Amino acid sequence: MKIRSRIPVVFLCVLFLALSAETILPAQTPVPAPPAAQSTSRDSANDLSVTVGKSALVDFTRPVIRVAVGLGDVAEATAVSPTEVMVNGRAPGNTSLIVWEQGGERQFFNVAVHASRAASEDTLTALRRELRAALPGQNITISSENNLVFLRGTVNDLASSDRAVQMASSAGKVVNLLYVNVPPPPPQILLKVRFASVDRNASKQLGINIFSTGAANTIGAVTTGQFSPPGVSLPSGTSPAAAAISNALNIFLFRPDLNLGATIQAMEQQGLAEVLAEPNIIAEDGKQASFLAGGEYPYPTVQGTAGGVGGAITIQFKEFGIRLNFIPTITPRGTIRLQVAPEVSALDFSQAVTISGFTEPAITVRRVKTEVELNEGQSFAIGGLLDNRETQTFTKIPFIGSIPILGKLFQSIQRNRTNTELIVIVTPEIVAPINSGQPVPQLNYPENFLPSNSNMPMTTPTTPITPTTPGASMTGLKPPLTIPVEQLIQSMKPEKELTTEGSYSSGGYSQGSSGSTSMSSTPSPTPQ
């Protein structure tokens, strides 16, 4: 009984050992290597962000074999353990990182290196300090985002805005969002110009022509030829000798009983011409102004000929009178710099020429063009001229004209003297407009004009508009105190050129393309 009871126990022990051996045996069998075609997995791409001066640690599931960085100046990568890579930011920018793992798998990273926030704040702090020192009392705030520097606040003028932008550009690309105080109206400059000219001339003429129509049985004439002598004709048949006088000059003598006569030129002349012109004109600081008090005279010009046929006659116009062109500029020193070109011209018919039946006068011109700088209210004599001229013509008959006393009868003399004095004085003044309700300059007319038929003032016959709020304009809109910088710059651009119909320029008449006429410096003749 005891033997039977031991058999099941031994059987169970043997069965347990057999089952244990079957379980452990597969674990001791070596694992076959995967095929070569299965050694390469798919690649992956990732984004990695790091700050300059900071580091980022990247973990991998497999050991790292090799590491490569696209731009070493932007970032650097180092394997600190078989499965860990440390990436350091060196400079702001973007680059790529490639990591090869054991088994052939690759990892791609897009690395973005951002500027250090602390360094950026230090730069902005220093910039704010410099802005407060350079532009004291002006509300300017500065911020930075993605390498962009934003300027906000209000400055006094455009010069302050430009300086703030120039200083902020050292920290990156500047976005100017500044407002600027609306500037007051620019100063108006009145230029007074005085032309003072005196022309004097004196002439003396003395000469004698002697002629005979039969005195001492002699027919003839004696003359120096300087003044027109009479023409003496010989007798013909019953007609005695005769003298034809084309110019009796101012003294004529003739003795019929002696058949002897003389024409004498003895004359003194004195002339005086005084010119005083005072053109005044107002211009804005830095803007050109032009003034003309005179007119334009027409003169004909002949067009080119072709095939032996005479050219057509066209009419052009030339300006004359009192002209003033100038550009005033107020300098930082408080002085006024002037580019000024005053001119006084007049028609001179004594020097006129006649061409094809047209009489064209000459033009006498007094012109100055210069640039000066002076304070308000000061005066400069910008031009002056003192011209003295003397011409003398002396003629005599040889031998007999050299005889003392008697030789004076056979001499002629003509002497001309001219004296011209000219001075041009300029005086600039900064002026303000006449306030509303104040009297304006008026002329004193010798005769009264006809009274008006309407008896109505030149105003709109409606109820005047009252501003709705204090400080508002007559339109009911309150003018802004500040505007954006770009809006102020746009408002300061020059307006479109003023054009008028039927205008003439110094070169001629010009017709605009739209049908209206305009001023033109290029001669544009109009057929007569």
Side-chain angles (χ1 to χ4, degrees), residues 269-300:
Q269 293 181 346
Q270 291 184 351
L272 176 64
E274 298 178 344
V275 177
L276 178 62
E278 296 183 272
N280 299 333
I281 188 172
I282 292 179
E284 188 177 325
D285 180 24
K287 303 296 180 62
Q288 180 176 350
S290 179
F291 173 88
L292 174 64
E296 296 183 351
Y297 76 93
Y299 63 94

PDB file of all heavy atoms in Angstrom, residues 269-300:
ATOM      1  N   GLN A 269      22.248 169.935 -75.860  1.00  0.00           N
ATOM      2  CA  GLN A 269      21.091 169.187 -75.376  1.00  0.00           C
ATOM      3  C   GLN A 269      21.429 168.537 -74.037  1.00  0.00           C
ATOM      4  O   GLN A 269      22.558 168.086 -73.821  1.00  0.00           O
ATOM      5  CB  GLN A 269      20.694 168.098 -76.381  1.00  0.00           C
ATOM      6  CG  GLN A 269      20.166 168.632 -77.704  1.00  0.00           C
ATOM      7  CD  GLN A 269      19.783 167.509 -78.643  1.00  0.00           C
ATOM      8  OE1 GLN A 269      20.147 166.365 -78.419  1.00  0.00           O
ATOM      9  NE2 GLN A 269      19.074 167.842 -79.707  1.00  0.00           N
ATOM     10  N   GLN A 270      20.432 168.492 -73.168  1.00  0.00           N
ATOM     11  CA  GLN A 270      20.551 167.816 -71.889  1.00  0.00           C
ATOM     12  C   GLN A 270      19.288 166.993 -71.657  1.00  0.00           C
ATOM     13  O   GLN A 270      18.175 167.479 -71.863  1.00  0.00           O
ATOM     14  CB  GLN A 270      20.740 168.815 -70.734  1.00  0.00           C
ATOM     15  CG  GLN A 270      22.079 169.528 -70.752  1.00  0.00           C
ATOM     16  CD  GLN A 270      22.250 170.434 -69.549  1.00  0.00           C
ATOM     17  OE1 GLN A 270      21.314 170.665 -68.797  1.00  0.00           O
ATOM     18  NE2 GLN A 270      23.464 170.941 -69.367  1.00  0.00           N
ATOM     19  N   GLY A 271      19.510 165.741 -71.243  1.00  0.00           N
ATOM     20  CA  GLY A 271      18.376 164.847 -70.990  1.00  0.00           C
ATOM     21  C   GLY A 271      18.466 164.232 -69.595  1.00  0.00           C
ATOM     22  O   GLY A 271      19.555 164.026 -69.057  1.00  0.00           O
ATOM     23  N   LEU A 272      17.325 163.938 -69.020  1.00  0.00           N
ATOM     24  CA  LEU A 272      17.257 163.357 -67.680  1.00  0.00           C
ATOM     25  C   LEU A 272      16.127 162.338 -67.637  1.00  0.00           C
ATOM     26  O   LEU A 272      15.000 162.637 -68.042  1.00  0.00           O
ATOM     27  CB  LEU A 272      17.023 164.441 -66.626  1.00  0.00           C
ATOM     28  CG  LEU A 272      16.839 163.955 -65.181  1.00  0.00           C
ATOM     29  CD1 LEU A 272      18.094 163.277 -64.674  1.00  0.00           C
ATOM     30  CD2 LEU A 272      16.437 165.108 -64.273  1.00  0.00           C
ATOM     31  N   ALA A 273      16.453 161.150 -67.183  1.00  0.00           N
ATOM     32  CA  ALA A 273      15.440 160.092 -67.029  1.00  0.00           C
ATOM     33  C   ALA A 273      15.622 159.475 -65.642  1.00  0.00           C
ATOM     34  O   ALA A 273      16.724 159.057 -65.272  1.00  0.00           O
ATOM     35  CB  ALA A 273      15.598 159.020 -68.104  1.00  0.00           C
ATOM     36  N   GLU A 274      14.537 159.441 -64.882  1.00  0.00           N
ATOM     37  CA  GLU A 274      14.549 158.877 -63.530  1.00  0.00           C
ATOM     38  C   GLU A 274      13.560 157.715 -63.467  1.00  0.00           C
ATOM     39  O   GLU A 274      12.433 157.833 -63.961  1.00  0.00           O
ATOM     40  CB  GLU A 274      14.179 159.929 -62.485  1.00  0.00           C
ATOM     41  CG  GLU A 274      15.157 161.094 -62.423  1.00  0.00           C
ATOM     42  CD  GLU A 274      14.733 162.140 -61.403  1.00  0.00           C
ATOM     43  OE1 GLU A 274      13.556 162.118 -60.983  1.00  0.00           O
ATOM     44  OE2 GLU A 274      15.577 162.966 -61.039  1.00  0.00           O
ATOM     45  N   VAL A 275      14.018 156.623 -62.866  1.00  0.00           N
ATOM     46  CA  VAL A 275      13.179 155.431 -62.721  1.00  0.00           C
ATOM     47  C   VAL A 275      13.176 155.028 -61.252  1.00  0.00           C
ATOM     48  O   VAL A 275      14.244 154.898 -60.636  1.00  0.00           O
ATOM     49  CB  VAL A 275      13.699 154.260 -63.591  1.00  0.00           C
ATOM     50  CG1 VAL A 275      12.854 153.016 -63.350  1.00  0.00           C
ATOM     51  CG2 VAL A 275      13.677 154.651 -65.059  1.00  0.00           C
ATOM     52  N   LEU A 276      11.996 154.849 -60.705  1.00  0.00           N
ATOM     53  CA  LEU A 276      11.850 154.368 -59.330  1.00  0.00           C
ATOM     54  C   LEU A 276      10.766 153.294 -59.330  1.00  0.00           C
ATOM     55  O   LEU A 276       9.599 153.582 -59.583  1.00  0.00           O
ATOM     56  CB  LEU A 276      11.481 155.501 -58.378  1.00  0.00           C
ATOM     57  CG  LEU A 276      11.259 155.079 -56.921  1.00  0.00           C
ATOM     58  CD1 LEU A 276      12.538 154.495 -56.339  1.00  0.00           C
ATOM     59  CD2 LEU A 276      10.770 156.250 -56.083  1.00  0.00           C
ATOM     60  N   ALA A 277      11.162 152.065 -59.072  1.00  0.00           N
ATOM     61  CA  ALA A 277      10.221 150.944 -59.023  1.00  0.00           C
ATOM     62  C   ALA A 277      10.368 150.252 -57.669  1.00  0.00           C
ATOM     63  O   ALA A 277      11.480 149.997 -57.214  1.00  0.00           O
ATOM     64  CB  ALA A 277      10.499 149.952 -60.151  1.00  0.00           C
ATOM     65  N   GLU A 278       9.238 149.983 -57.029  1.00  0.00           N
ATOM     66  CA  GLU A 278       9.232 149.347 -55.716  1.00  0.00           C
ATOM     67  C   GLU A 278       8.270 148.164 -55.709  1.00  0.00           C
ATOM     68  O   GLU A 278       7.176 148.259 -55.144  1.00  0.00           O
ATOM     69  CB  GLU A 278       8.853 150.340 -54.627  1.00  0.00           C
ATOM     70  CG  GLU A 278       9.845 151.472 -54.448  1.00  0.00           C
ATOM     71  CD  GLU A 278       9.470 152.389 -53.299  1.00  0.00           C
ATOM     72  OE1 GLU A 278       8.716 153.340 -53.534  1.00  0.00           O
ATOM     73  OE2 GLU A 278       9.922 152.127 -52.177  1.00  0.00           O
ATOM     74  N   PRO A 279       8.632 147.043 -56.337  1.00  0.00           N
ATOM     75  CA  PRO A 279       7.754 145.863 -56.275  1.00  0.00           C
ATOM     76  C   PRO A 279       7.839 145.182 -54.916  1.00  0.00           C
ATOM     77  O   PRO A 279       8.924 145.009 -54.356  1.00  0.00           O
ATOM     78  CB  PRO A 279       8.313 144.958 -57.390  1.00  0.00           C
ATOM     79  CG  PRO A 279       9.758 145.352 -57.501  1.00  0.00           C
ATOM     80  CD  PRO A 279       9.811 146.821 -57.188  1.00  0.00           C
ATOM     81  N   ASN A 280       6.688 144.825 -54.365  1.00  0.00           N
ATOM     82  CA  ASN A 280       6.590 144.107 -53.095  1.00  0.00           C
ATOM     83  C   ASN A 280       5.766 142.847 -53.314  1.00  0.00           C
ATOM     84  O   ASN A 280       4.727 142.887 -53.982  1.00  0.00           O
ATOM     85  CB  ASN A 280       5.924 144.969 -52.015  1.00  0.00           C
ATOM     86  CG  ASN A 280       6.706 146.235 -51.724  1.00  0.00           C
ATOM     87  OD1 ASN A 280       7.915 146.271 -51.908  1.00  0.00           O
ATOM     88  ND2 ASN A 280       6.016 147.274 -51.280  1.00  0.00           N
ATOM     89  N   ILE A 281       6.217 141.738 -52.727  1.00  0.00           N
ATOM     90  CA  ILE A 281       5.491 140.487 -52.907  1.00  0.00           C
ATOM     91  C   ILE A 281       5.725 139.602 -51.681  1.00  0.00           C
ATOM     92  O   ILE A 281       6.783 139.658 -51.052  1.00  0.00           O
ATOM     93  CB  ILE A 281       5.928 139.759 -54.199  1.00  0.00           C
ATOM     94  CG1 ILE A 281       5.033 138.559 -54.477  1.00  0.00           C
ATOM     95  CG2 ILE A 281       7.378 139.368 -54.131  1.00  0.00           C
ATOM     96  CD1 ILE A 281       5.278 137.921 -55.825  1.00  0.00           C
ATOM     97  N   ILE A 282       4.710 138.796 -51.331  1.00  0.00           N
ATOM     98  CA  ILE A 282       4.761 137.904 -50.180  1.00  0.00           C
ATOM     99  C   ILE A 282       4.854 136.471 -50.676  1.00  0.00           C
ATOM    100  O   ILE A 282       4.188 136.092 -51.647  1.00  0.00           O
ATOM    101  CB  ILE A 282       3.520 138.085 -49.284  1.00  0.00           C
ATOM    102  CG1 ILE A 282       3.547 139.466 -48.625  1.00  0.00           C
ATOM    103  CG2 ILE A 282       3.455 137.015 -48.208  1.00  0.00           C
ATOM    104  CD1 ILE A 282       2.352 139.741 -47.747  1.00  0.00           C
ATOM    105  N   ALA A 283       5.666 135.674 -49.988  1.00  0.00           N
ATOM    106  CA  ALA A 283       5.805 134.254 -50.324  1.00  0.00           C
ATOM    107  C   ALA A 283       5.939 133.457 -49.032  1.00  0.00           C
ATOM    108  O   ALA A 283       6.361 133.975 -47.995  1.00  0.00           O
ATOM    109  CB  ALA A 283       7.011 134.011 -51.228  1.00  0.00           C
ATOM    110  N   GLU A 284       5.582 132.184 -49.125  1.00  0.00           N
ATOM    111  CA  GLU A 284       5.737 131.269 -47.999  1.00  0.00           C
ATOM    112  C   GLU A 284       7.184 130.813 -47.904  1.00  0.00           C
ATOM    113  O   GLU A 284       7.921 130.821 -48.893  1.00  0.00           O
ATOM    114  CB  GLU A 284       4.805 130.067 -48.187  1.00  0.00           C
ATOM    115  CG  GLU A 284       4.719 129.133 -47.003  1.00  0.00           C
ATOM    116  CD  GLU A 284       3.736 128.009 -47.244  1.00  0.00           C
ATOM    117  OE1 GLU A 284       2.714 128.258 -47.912  1.00  0.00           O
ATOM    118  OE2 GLU A 284       4.003 126.882 -46.780  1.00  0.00           O
ATOM    119  N   ASP A 285       7.576 130.435 -46.700  1.00  0.00           N
ATOM    120  CA  ASP A 285       8.940 129.988 -46.467  1.00  0.00           C
ATOM    121  C   ASP A 285       9.287 128.822 -47.393  1.00  0.00           C
ATOM    122  O   ASP A 285       8.630 127.787 -47.393  1.00  0.00           O
ATOM    123  CB  ASP A 285       9.096 129.566 -45.003  1.00  0.00           C
ATOM    124  CG  ASP A 285      10.501 129.076 -44.692  1.00  0.00           C
ATOM    125  OD1 ASP A 285      11.428 129.476 -45.410  1.00  0.00           O
ATOM    126  OD2 ASP A 285      10.650 128.302 -43.722  1.00  0.00           O
ATOM    127  N   GLY A 286      10.343 129.008 -48.193  1.00  0.00           N
ATOM    128  CA  GLY A 286      10.804 127.965 -49.090  1.00  0.00           C
ATOM    129  C   GLY A 286      10.046 127.863 -50.398  1.00  0.00           C
ATOM    130  O   GLY A 286      10.360 126.999 -51.217  1.00  0.00           O
ATOM    131  N   LYS A 287       9.045 128.712 -50.644  1.00  0.00           N
ATOM    132  CA  LYS A 287       8.251 128.655 -51.873  1.00  0.00           C
ATOM    133  C   LYS A 287       8.621 129.825 -52.790  1.00  0.00           C
ATOM    134  O   LYS A 287       8.975 130.911 -52.322  1.00  0.00           O
ATOM    135  CB  LYS A 287       6.757 128.696 -51.555  1.00  0.00           C
ATOM    136  CG  LYS A 287       6.281 127.600 -50.625  1.00  0.00           C
ATOM    137  CD  LYS A 287       6.450 126.234 -51.234  1.00  0.00           C
ATOM    138  CE  LYS A 287       5.963 125.136 -50.304  1.00  0.00           C
ATOM    139  NZ  LYS A 287       4.534 125.227 -50.004  1.00  0.00           N
ATOM    140  N   GLN A 288       8.538 129.585 -54.091  1.00  0.00           N
ATOM    141  CA  GLN A 288       8.874 130.613 -55.074  1.00  0.00           C
ATOM    142  C   GLN A 288       7.688 131.523 -55.315  1.00  0.00           C
ATOM    143  O   GLN A 288       6.527 131.088 -55.317  1.00  0.00           O
ATOM    144  CB  GLN A 288       9.321 129.977 -56.387  1.00  0.00           C
ATOM    145  CG  GLN A 288       9.691 130.999 -57.460  1.00  0.00           C
ATOM    146  CD  GLN A 288      10.221 130.354 -58.727  1.00  0.00           C
ATOM    147  OE1 GLN A 288      10.485 129.167 -58.747  1.00  0.00           O
ATOM    148  NE2 GLN A 288      10.379 131.131 -59.777  1.00  0.00           N
ATOM    149  N   ALA A 289       7.970 132.797 -55.519  1.00  0.00           N
ATOM    150  CA  ALA A 289       6.949 133.789 -55.841  1.00  0.00           C
ATOM    151  C   ALA A 289       7.406 134.583 -57.062  1.00  0.00           C
ATOM    152  O   ALA A 289       8.605 134.772 -57.277  1.00  0.00           O
ATOM    153  CB  ALA A 289       6.690 134.718 -54.665  1.00  0.00           C
ATOM    154  N   SER A 290       6.440 135.040 -57.834  1.00  0.00           N
ATOM    155  CA  SER A 290       6.733 135.787 -59.061  1.00  0.00           C
ATOM    156  C   SER A 290       5.767 136.962 -59.168  1.00  0.00           C
ATOM    157  O   SER A 290       4.593 136.851 -58.803  1.00  0.00           O
ATOM    158  CB  SER A 290       6.599 134.885 -60.295  1.00  0.00           C
ATOM    159  OG  SER A 290       6.859 135.612 -61.478  1.00  0.00           O
ATOM    160  N   PHE A 291       6.287 138.085 -59.659  1.00  0.00           N
ATOM    161  CA  PHE A 291       5.504 139.320 -59.751  1.00  0.00           C
ATOM    162  C   PHE A 291       5.864 140.003 -61.060  1.00  0.00           C
ATOM    163  O   PHE A 291       7.033 140.115 -61.411  1.00  0.00           O
ATOM    164  CB  PHE A 291       5.831 140.218 -58.547  1.00  0.00           C
ATOM    165  CG  PHE A 291       5.224 141.594 -58.617  1.00  0.00           C
ATOM    166  CD1 PHE A 291       3.962 141.826 -58.116  1.00  0.00           C
ATOM    167  CD2 PHE A 291       5.925 142.646 -59.169  1.00  0.00           C
ATOM    168  CE1 PHE A 291       3.413 143.096 -58.167  1.00  0.00           C
ATOM    169  CE2 PHE A 291       5.392 143.910 -59.237  1.00  0.00           C
ATOM    170  CZ  PHE A 291       4.123 144.142 -58.728  1.00  0.00           C
ATOM    171  N   LEU A 292       4.855 140.484 -61.775  1.00  0.00           N
ATOM    172  CA  LEU A 292       5.084 141.214 -63.027  1.00  0.00           C
ATOM    173  C   LEU A 292       4.049 142.319 -63.134  1.00  0.00           C
ATOM    174  O   LEU A 292       2.845 142.062 -63.089  1.00  0.00           O
ATOM    175  CB  LEU A 292       4.988 140.290 -64.237  1.00  0.00           C
ATOM    176  CG  LEU A 292       5.068 140.981 -65.608  1.00  0.00           C
ATOM    177  CD1 LEU A 292       6.432 141.645 -65.796  1.00  0.00           C
ATOM    178  CD2 LEU A 292       4.788 140.006 -66.740  1.00  0.00           C
ATOM    179  N   ALA A 293       4.533 143.550 -63.245  1.00  0.00           N
ATOM    180  CA  ALA A 293       3.674 144.699 -63.523  1.00  0.00           C
ATOM    181  C   ALA A 293       4.185 145.320 -64.817  1.00  0.00           C
ATOM    182  O   ALA A 293       5.201 146.008 -64.830  1.00  0.00           O
ATOM    183  CB  ALA A 293       3.719 145.701 -62.374  1.00  0.00           C
ATOM    184  N   GLY A 294       3.528 145.016 -65.892  1.00  0.00           N
ATOM    185  CA  GLY A 294       3.975 145.476 -67.206  1.00  0.00           C
ATOM    186  C   GLY A 294       3.064 144.944 -68.281  1.00  0.00           C
ATOM    187  O   GLY A 294       1.839 145.079 -68.195  1.00  0.00           O
ATOM    188  N   GLY A 295       3.633 144.305 -69.250  1.00  0.00           N
ATOM    189  CA  GLY A 295       2.835 143.778 -70.345  1.00  0.00           C
ATOM    190  C   GLY A 295       3.680 142.903 -71.254  1.00  0.00           C
ATOM    191  O   GLY A 295       4.818 142.547 -70.934  1.00  0.00           O
ATOM    192  N   GLU A 296       3.083 142.580 -72.392  1.00  0.00           N
ATOM    193  CA  GLU A 296       3.758 141.794 -73.413  1.00  0.00           C
ATOM    194  C   GLU A 296       3.516 142.455 -74.762  1.00  0.00           C
ATOM    195  O   GLU A 296       2.381 142.817 -75.080  1.00  0.00           O
ATOM    196  CB  GLU A 296       3.230 140.357 -73.436  1.00  0.00           C
ATOM    197  CG  GLU A 296       3.504 139.571 -72.166  1.00  0.00           C
ATOM    198  CD  GLU A 296       3.025 138.134 -72.264  1.00  0.00           C
ATOM    199  OE1 GLU A 296       2.329 137.827 -73.254  1.00  0.00           O
ATOM    200  OE2 GLU A 296       3.334 137.332 -71.378  1.00  0.00           O
ATOM    201  N   TYR A 297       4.576 142.631 -75.502  1.00  0.00           N
ATOM    202  CA  TYR A 297       4.414 143.244 -76.813  1.00  0.00           C
ATOM    203  C   TYR A 297       4.622 142.180 -77.892  1.00  0.00           C
ATOM    204  O   TYR A 297       5.440 141.280 -77.742  1.00  0.00           O
ATOM    205  CB  TYR A 297       5.380 144.409 -77.004  1.00  0.00           C
ATOM    206  CG  TYR A 297       6.808 144.017 -77.285  1.00  0.00           C
ATOM    207  CD1 TYR A 297       7.280 143.898 -78.598  1.00  0.00           C
ATOM    208  CD2 TYR A 297       7.687 143.757 -76.246  1.00  0.00           C
ATOM    209  CE1 TYR A 297       8.585 143.532 -78.860  1.00  0.00           C
ATOM    210  CE2 TYR A 297       8.996 143.402 -76.498  1.00  0.00           C
ATOM    211  CZ  TYR A 297       9.439 143.290 -77.801  1.00  0.00           C
ATOM    212  OH  TYR A 297      10.736 142.922 -78.056  1.00  0.00           O
ATOM    213  N   PRO A 298       3.846 142.260 -78.980  1.00  0.00           N
ATOM    214  CA  PRO A 298       3.967 141.255 -80.042  1.00  0.00           C
ATOM    215  C   PRO A 298       5.101 141.608 -81.006  1.00  0.00           C
ATOM    216  O   PRO A 298       5.371 142.781 -81.278  1.00  0.00           O
ATOM    217  CB  PRO A 298       2.615 141.322 -80.739  1.00  0.00           C
ATOM    218  CG  PRO A 298       2.170 142.732 -80.546  1.00  0.00           C
ATOM    219  CD  PRO A 298       2.725 143.186 -79.223  1.00  0.00           C
ATOM    220  N   TYR A 299       5.749 140.588 -81.522  1.00  0.00           N
ATOM    221  CA  TYR A 299       6.761 140.800 -82.556  1.00  0.00           C
ATOM    222  C   TYR A 299       6.675 139.646 -83.550  1.00  0.00           C
ATOM    223  O   TYR A 299       6.415 138.500 -83.173  1.00  0.00           O
ATOM    224  CB  TYR A 299       8.164 140.915 -81.959  1.00  0.00           C
ATOM    225  CG  TYR A 299       8.651 139.676 -81.262  1.00  0.00           C
ATOM    226  CD1 TYR A 299       9.422 138.723 -81.923  1.00  0.00           C
ATOM    227  CD2 TYR A 299       8.340 139.452 -79.930  1.00  0.00           C
ATOM    228  CE1 TYR A 299       9.871 137.590 -81.280  1.00  0.00           C
ATOM    229  CE2 TYR A 299       8.787 138.320 -79.278  1.00  0.00           C
ATOM    230  CZ  TYR A 299       9.550 137.393 -79.953  1.00  0.00           C
ATOM    231  OH  TYR A 299       9.986 136.265 -79.313  1.00  0.00           O
ATOM    232  N   PRO A 300       6.832 139.947 -84.829  1.00  0.00           N
ATOM    233  CA  PRO A 300       6.677 138.911 -85.853  1.00  0.00           C
ATOM    234  C   PRO A 300       7.957 138.104 -86.021  1.00  0.00           C
ATOM    235  O   PRO A 300       9.076 138.599 -85.835  1.00  0.00           O
ATOM    236  CB  PRO A 300       6.355 139.712 -87.109  1.00  0.00           C
ATOM    237  CG  PRO A 300       7.061 141.010 -86.907  1.00  0.00           C
ATOM    238  CD  PRO A 300       7.041 141.286 -85.430  1.00  0.00           C
TER     239      PRO A 300
END
